[in-house]
Amino acid sequence: MDAAMEEFGGNPDRVVLTGMSMGGYGVWDYGMRAPDRFAALVPVCGGLVHPNRPSMDVRGLAGQADPYAFVAQRVRHVPTWIFHGALDDVVLPEYSRRMAEALQAAGAENARFTEFPDANHNSWDAAYSRTPALWDWAFSQDRSQR
């Protein structure tokens, strides 16, 4: 990321981290490890743990009584917009619901959650293509303003 920022002249205060499915897990993983590095987080159909695919689990959560509360405390100051399909049978929507609740409980001031009632795992089409407000919101984020 540092090399790409340098090569393409990126603004380090305006970096928005997004990913879908396993990449959504990556958003939580990397966002938790370096919350001060990002202007915003946009996980799409991600989670923290996956009982059927432990290789997807966010690292560093072993031994945490409540991994959702732990991550929420780490990222509560980072603007976050979570997306998930209500019919997702690959990564359960409950994972995003629990994360949204944990962010609210942690006092996150700029956290959103959108659940698409008719979407399955492919909720990224609805998030990235059919939610134009996402892009206005994402491009308005600036970590130097926090």
Side-chain angles (χ1 to χ4, degrees):
M1 192 165 83
D2 290 334
M5 293 290 290
E6 186 174 331
E7 181 176 348
F8 297 107
N11 182 340
D13 289 325
R14 308 291 302 265
V15 176
V16 175
L17 180 61
T18 188
M20 52 196 188
S21 191
M22 188 176 272
Y25 279 77
V27 169
W28 293 124
D29 195 324
Y30 199 24
M32 174 189 75
R33 294 175 188 287
D36 295 331
R37 185 164 195 168
F38 300 103
L41 304 175
V42 183
V44 181
C45 62
L48 300 181
V49 297
H50 195 295
N52 299 325
R53 294 189 64 192
S55 63
M56 291 176 62
D57 291 357
V58 171
R59 295 167 294 144
L61 299 179
Q64 293 298 326
D66 184 345
Y68 295 92
F70 179 78
V71 173
Q73 282 297 318
R74 299 275 303 146
V75 302
R76 71 183 181 278
H77 298 297
V78 183
T80 302
W81 195 340
I82 303 166
F83 292 92
H84 216 115
L87 305 177
D88 194 335
D89 59 354
V90 177
V91 176
L92 300 180
E94 179 63 25
Y95 302 159
S96 288
R97 292 179 196 137
R98 288 182 67 187
M99 195 64 229
E101 291 168 4
L103 284 166
Q104 183 179 15
E109 294 180 11
N110 191 353
R112 301 174 180 202
F113 174 51
T114 299
E115 186 170 310
F116 302 107
D118 298 325
N120 198 316
H121 189 56
N122 181 9
S123 56
W124 49 86
D125 282 346
Y128 295 144
S129 299
R130 295 190 297 273
T131 309
L134 166 61
W135 302 113
D136 292 336
W137 177 86
F139 293 136
S140 73
Q141 304 306 317
D142 184 332
R143 73 177 182 170
S144 70
Q145 303 301 310
R146 296 200 296 264

